[in-house]
Amino acid sequence: MTQDELKQAVAEAAVKYILPMLEDDTIVGVGTGSTANLFIDELAKYKNDFDGTVASSEASAERLKKHGIPVYELNSVGNIRVYVDGADESNEYLHLIKGGGAALTREKIVAACSEEFVCIADESKMVKVLGDFPLPVEVIPMARGYVARELVKLGGDPVYREGVITDNGNQILDVYNLDILNPAELEKSIDGIVGVVTNGLFAKRPADVLLLATKEGVKTLKR
Ligand code: 5RP
Protein backbone atom coordinates (compact mmCIF):
# COMPACT_ATOMS: atom_id res chain seq x y z
CA MET A 1 0.00 0.00 0.00
CA THR A 2 1.27 3.48 -0.81
CA GLN A 3 1.29 6.30 1.73
CA ASP A 4 -1.59 7.93 -0.13
CA GLU A 5 -3.63 4.72 0.11
CA LEU A 6 -2.90 4.55 3.86
CA LYS A 7 -4.06 8.15 4.25
CA GLN A 8 -7.27 7.35 2.35
CA ALA A 9 -7.87 4.29 4.54
CA VAL A 10 -7.47 6.28 7.75
CA ALA A 11 -9.70 9.10 6.46
CA GLU A 12 -12.46 6.57 5.83
CA ALA A 13 -11.88 4.97 9.25
CA ALA A 14 -12.15 8.38 10.92
CA VAL A 15 -15.54 9.07 9.37
CA LYS A 16 -16.72 5.61 10.45
CA TYR A 17 -15.39 6.33 13.97
CA ILE A 18 -17.29 9.61 14.36
CA LEU A 19 -20.55 8.54 12.65
CA PRO A 20 -22.23 7.57 15.97
CA MET A 21 -21.48 11.10 17.28
CA LEU A 22 -23.25 12.88 14.43
CA GLU A 23 -26.58 14.46 15.38
CA ASP A 24 -28.48 17.47 14.04
CA ASP A 25 -26.62 19.81 16.42
CA THR A 26 -23.15 18.23 16.25
CA ILE A 27 -20.17 20.45 15.45
CA VAL A 28 -17.10 18.69 14.09
CA GLY A 29 -13.63 20.25 14.38
CA VAL A 30 -11.63 19.75 11.21
CA GLY A 31 -7.85 19.83 10.92
CA THR A 32 -5.40 20.71 8.20
CA GLY A 33 -3.14 18.85 5.79
CA SER A 34 -3.31 16.12 3.18
CA THR A 35 -4.82 13.50 5.53
CA ALA A 36 -7.35 15.99 6.87
CA ASN A 37 -8.26 16.88 3.27
CA LEU A 38 -9.15 13.26 2.56
CA PHE A 39 -11.19 13.22 5.77
CA ILE A 40 -13.09 16.32 4.56
CA ASP A 41 -13.89 14.60 1.28
CA GLU A 42 -15.24 11.55 3.13
CA LEU A 43 -17.14 13.66 5.67
CA ALA A 44 -18.92 15.42 2.80
CA LYS A 45 -20.89 12.22 2.15
CA TYR A 46 -22.60 12.75 5.53
CA LYS A 47 -23.01 16.53 5.38
CA ASN A 48 -26.76 16.34 6.04
CA ASP A 49 -26.27 14.32 9.23
CA PHE A 50 -24.74 17.04 11.43
CA ASP A 51 -24.82 20.80 11.98
CA GLY A 52 -21.44 21.97 10.69
CA THR A 53 -17.75 22.40 11.34
CA VAL A 54 -15.07 24.61 12.81
CA ALA A 55 -11.92 24.60 10.67
CA SER A 56 -8.32 24.90 11.86
CA SER A 57 -7.20 26.81 8.75
CA GLU A 58 -8.46 28.96 5.91
CA ALA A 59 -7.48 26.17 3.48
CA SER A 60 -9.64 23.59 5.26
CA ALA A 61 -12.50 26.08 5.58
CA GLU A 62 -12.41 26.64 1.83
CA ARG A 63 -12.42 22.90 1.08
CA LEU A 64 -15.33 22.33 3.48
CA LYS A 65 -17.33 25.16 1.91
CA LYS A 66 -16.69 23.78 -1.59
CA HIS A 67 -18.40 20.60 -0.42
CA GLY A 68 -21.32 22.65 0.91
CA ILE A 69 -20.47 21.89 4.54
CA PRO A 70 -21.20 24.82 6.91
CA VAL A 71 -18.12 26.35 8.59
CA TYR A 72 -18.64 28.33 11.79
CA GLU A 73 -16.43 30.77 13.65
CA LEU A 74 -15.20 29.13 16.85
CA ASN A 75 -16.62 31.99 18.93
CA SER A 76 -20.11 31.36 17.62
CA VAL A 77 -20.37 27.68 18.59
CA GLY A 78 -20.79 26.20 22.03
CA ASN A 79 -19.18 22.83 21.99
CA ILE A 80 -17.07 20.88 19.54
CA ARG A 81 -17.99 17.21 19.90
CA VAL A 82 -14.96 15.81 18.13
CA TYR A 83 -11.84 17.16 16.41
CA VAL A 84 -10.19 15.15 13.64
CA ASP A 85 -6.72 16.10 12.44
CA GLY A 86 -3.44 14.66 11.16
CA ALA A 87 0.01 14.89 12.71
CA ASP A 88 3.64 14.98 11.73
CA GLU A 89 4.69 12.62 14.54
CA SER A 90 3.06 10.73 17.42
CA ASN A 91 4.58 8.79 20.29
CA GLU A 92 2.90 5.97 22.19
CA TYR A 93 1.32 8.44 24.64
CA LEU A 94 -0.33 10.25 21.70
CA HIS A 95 1.82 13.31 22.28
CA LEU A 96 2.13 14.88 18.85
CA ILE A 97 4.24 17.17 16.74
CA LYS A 98 2.03 19.21 14.46
CA GLY A 99 2.41 22.28 12.30
CA GLY A 100 3.99 20.93 9.13
CA GLY A 101 1.23 22.84 7.36
CA ALA A 102 1.78 25.95 9.52
CA ALA A 103 -1.69 25.70 11.08
CA LEU A 104 -0.49 24.72 14.56
CA THR A 105 -2.00 27.61 16.52
CA ARG A 106 -5.54 27.24 15.27
CA GLU A 107 -5.15 23.45 15.49
CA LYS A 108 -4.17 23.74 19.15
CA ILE A 109 -7.09 26.06 19.86
CA VAL A 110 -9.64 23.77 18.21
CA ALA A 111 -8.14 20.73 19.97
CA ALA A 112 -8.40 22.53 23.32
CA CYS A 113 -12.09 23.25 22.73
CA SER A 114 -13.00 19.72 21.69
CA GLU A 115 -14.45 16.94 23.79
CA GLU A 116 -12.48 14.32 21.89
CA PHE A 117 -9.40 14.67 19.68
CA VAL A 118 -9.02 11.95 17.07
CA CYS A 119 -5.65 11.98 15.34
CA ILE A 120 -5.40 10.32 11.95
CA ALA A 121 -2.05 9.25 10.55
CA ASP A 122 -0.24 6.65 8.54
CA GLU A 123 2.30 4.41 10.24
CA SER A 124 5.29 6.52 9.10
CA LYS A 125 4.25 9.12 11.71
CA MET A 126 4.65 6.79 14.72
CA VAL A 127 7.96 7.31 16.55
CA LYS A 128 9.59 6.23 19.82
CA VAL A 129 10.89 9.73 20.65
CA LEU A 130 9.48 12.92 19.13
CA GLY A 131 11.86 15.23 17.35
CA ASP A 132 13.03 13.74 14.06
CA PHE A 133 10.46 15.99 12.46
CA PRO A 134 11.57 19.61 13.06
CA LEU A 135 9.34 21.23 15.66
CA PRO A 136 7.34 24.15 14.20
CA VAL A 137 7.14 27.29 16.34
CA GLU A 138 4.85 30.18 15.33
CA VAL A 139 6.39 33.54 16.20
CA ILE A 140 5.42 37.19 16.09
CA PRO A 141 7.55 38.46 13.15
CA MET A 142 9.48 41.15 15.10
CA ALA A 143 10.53 38.56 17.70
CA ARG A 144 11.86 35.98 15.24
CA GLY A 145 15.57 36.59 15.89
CA TYR A 146 15.17 36.73 19.66
CA VAL A 147 13.06 33.56 19.77
CA ALA A 148 15.59 31.77 17.54
CA ARG A 149 18.43 32.62 19.96
CA GLU A 150 16.37 31.35 22.91
CA LEU A 151 15.59 28.11 21.06
CA VAL A 152 19.32 27.55 20.51
CA LYS A 153 19.74 27.79 24.31
CA LEU A 154 17.21 24.94 24.59
CA GLY A 155 19.43 22.80 22.34
CA GLY A 156 17.63 23.24 19.03
CA ASP A 157 18.66 24.48 15.60
CA PRO A 158 15.89 26.83 14.42
CA VAL A 159 15.43 27.48 10.72
CA TYR A 160 13.16 30.24 9.40
CA ARG A 161 10.46 28.81 7.08
CA GLU A 162 10.91 31.44 4.40
CA GLY A 163 7.93 32.64 2.41
CA VAL A 164 5.36 31.22 4.83
CA ILE A 165 2.91 33.52 6.61
CA THR A 166 0.42 31.79 8.91
CA ASP A 167 -3.33 32.43 8.83
CA ASN A 168 -2.67 34.66 11.88
CA GLY A 169 -0.11 36.81 10.02
CA ASN A 170 2.92 35.31 11.80
CA GLN A 171 6.09 33.42 10.85
CA ILE A 172 7.36 29.88 11.51
CA LEU A 173 10.67 28.64 12.88
CA ASP A 174 11.32 24.91 12.35
CA VAL A 175 13.52 23.61 15.15
CA TYR A 176 15.85 20.75 14.23
CA ASN A 177 17.85 18.37 16.41
CA LEU A 178 15.66 18.33 19.50
CA ASP A 179 15.50 15.02 21.38
CA ILE A 180 12.13 15.50 22.99
CA LEU A 181 12.24 13.22 26.03
CA ASN A 182 9.76 15.29 28.06
CA PRO A 183 7.28 16.78 25.57
CA ALA A 184 5.05 18.48 28.16
CA GLU A 185 7.98 20.26 29.80
CA LEU A 186 9.45 21.42 26.48
CA GLU A 187 6.03 22.58 25.28
CA LYS A 188 5.75 24.78 28.37
CA SER A 189 9.32 26.09 28.13
CA ILE A 190 8.95 27.13 24.49
CA ASP A 191 5.55 28.74 25.14
CA GLY A 192 7.29 30.77 27.85
CA ILE A 193 9.60 32.55 25.38
CA VAL A 194 8.35 36.06 24.71
CA GLY A 195 7.25 36.36 21.09
CA VAL A 196 6.22 32.73 20.71
CA VAL A 197 2.58 32.34 19.73
CA THR A 198 2.46 28.53 19.92
CA ASN A 199 4.72 25.56 19.42
CA GLY A 200 3.77 22.36 17.59
CA LEU A 201 4.03 20.04 20.60
CA PHE A 202 0.65 18.67 21.60
CA ALA A 203 1.44 17.11 24.98
CA LYS A 204 -0.59 19.21 27.39
CA ARG A 205 -3.60 18.36 25.22
CA PRO A 206 -2.59 15.17 23.40
CA ALA A 207 -4.85 13.19 21.10
CA ASP A 208 -7.39 10.97 22.84
CA VAL A 209 -7.43 8.44 20.03
CA LEU A 210 -4.95 7.72 17.27
CA LEU A 211 -6.25 5.98 14.18
CA LEU A 212 -3.07 4.65 12.62
CA ALA A 213 -3.13 3.28 9.09
CA THR A 214 -0.78 0.32 8.68
CA LYS A 215 -0.37 -2.21 5.89
CA GLU A 216 -2.27 -4.68 8.10
CA GLY A 217 -5.22 -2.30 8.54
CA VAL A 218 -6.20 0.75 10.59
CA LYS A 219 -5.31 0.36 14.27
CA THR A 220 -7.09 2.25 17.08
CA LEU A 221 -4.75 3.43 19.85
CA LYS A 222 -6.12 5.10 22.96
CA ARG A 223 -4.39 6.90 25.82
C1 5RP B 1 -0.75 21.03 9.67
C2 5RP B 1 -0.53 19.77 10.43
C3 5RP B 1 -0.82 18.49 9.74
O1 5RP B 1 -1.77 17.79 10.49
C4 5RP B 1 0.44 17.69 9.63
O2 5RP B 1 1.42 18.48 8.99
C5 5RP B 1 0.23 16.38 8.88
O3 5RP B 1 -0.05 16.66 7.54
P1 5RP B 1 -0.29 15.52 6.46
O4 5RP B 1 -1.60 14.89 6.78
O5 5RP B 1 -0.30 16.27 5.16
O6 5RP B 1 0.86 14.56 6.54
O7 5RP B 1 -0.16 19.76 11.58
O8 5RP B 1 -0.31 22.14 10.38
Side-chain angles (χ1 to χ4, degrees), residues 137-206:
V137 179
E138 179 164 353
V139 297
I140 301 287
M142 73 171 287
R144 194 181 74 233
Y146 169 73
V147 172
R149 292 192 291 281
E150 292 298 304
L151 289 167
V152 169
K153 289 182 194 164
L154 292 176
D157 294 321
V159 174
Y160 171 38
R161 203 185 292 180
E162 283 192 59
V164 171
I165 303 286
T166 70
D167 285 348
N168 315 307
N170 297 315
Q171 296 173 342
I172 299 283
L173 292 169
D174 290 307
V175 191
Y176 288 78
N177 300 323
L178 290 168
D179 270 338
I180 306 176
L181 299 173
N182 189 335
E185 192 178 273
L186 186 65
E187 180 178 8
K188 197 170 160 198
S189 302
I190 295 177
D191 278 349
I193 301 171
V194 173
V196 167
V197 179
T198 334
N199 72 83
L201 277 169
F202 284 57
K204 189 174 159 216
R205 202 290 180 240

Side-chain angles (χ1 to χ4, degrees), residues 46 52 58-59 74 77 92 119 148 157:
Y46 300 90
E58 299 298 337
L74 179 58
V77 301
E92 63 180 311
C119 182
D157 294 321

Side-chain angles (χ1 to χ4, degrees), residues 12-173:
E12 289 170 19
V15 170
K16 225 182 247 170
Y17 183 87
I18 69 162
L19 271 187
M21 304 176 199
L22 301 185
E23 315 236 344
D24 286 351
D25 61 351
T26 304
I27 303 289
V28 178
V30 177
T32 300
S34 56
T35 318
N37 279 344
L38 295 171
F39 168 72
I40 292 171
D41 298 346
E42 286 302 311
L43 185 66
K45 297 175 186 166
Y46 300 90
K47 66 181 175 189
N48 297 320
D49 296 352
F50 61 103
D51 184 352
T53 58
V54 169
S56 69
S57 64
E58 299 298 337
S60 291
E62 202 176 305
R63 194 175 185 103
L64 286 158
K65 285 177 193 164
K66 269 195 190 145
H67 279 297
I69 301 174
V71 181
Y72 297 112
E73 291 297 323
L74 179 58
N75 287 321
S76 71
V77 301
N79 181 39
I80 298 177
R81 174 63 189 89
V82 62
Y83 176 49
V84 180
D85 196 2
D88 299 300
E89 280 186 353
S90 174
N91 66 16
E92 63 180 311
Y93 307 105
L94 312 194
H95 298 148
L96 312 173
I97 287 185
K98 291 185 45 56
L104 59 158
T105 298
R106 294 188 186 195
E107 291 172 340
K108 207 175 260 199
I109 295 168
V110 179
C113 295
S114 298
E115 273 177 52
E116 186 170 347
F117 177 8
V118 178
C119 182
I120 51 175
D122 66 83
E123 59 192 348
S124 70
K125 308 290 183 70
M126 196 75 199
V127 297
K128 277 236 162 310
V129 177
L130 298 172
D132 271 354
F133 191 92
L135 178 66
V137 179
E138 179 164 353
V139 297
I140 301 287
M142 73 171 287
R144 194 181 74 233
Y146 169 73
V147 172
R149 292 192 291 281
E150 292 298 304
L151 289 167
V152 169
K153 289 182 194 164
L154 292 176
D157 294 321
V159 174
Y160 171 38
R161 203 185 292 180
E162 283 192 59
V164 171
I165 303 286
T166 70
D167 285 348
N168 315 307
N170 297 315
Q171 296 173 342
I172 299 283
L173 292 169

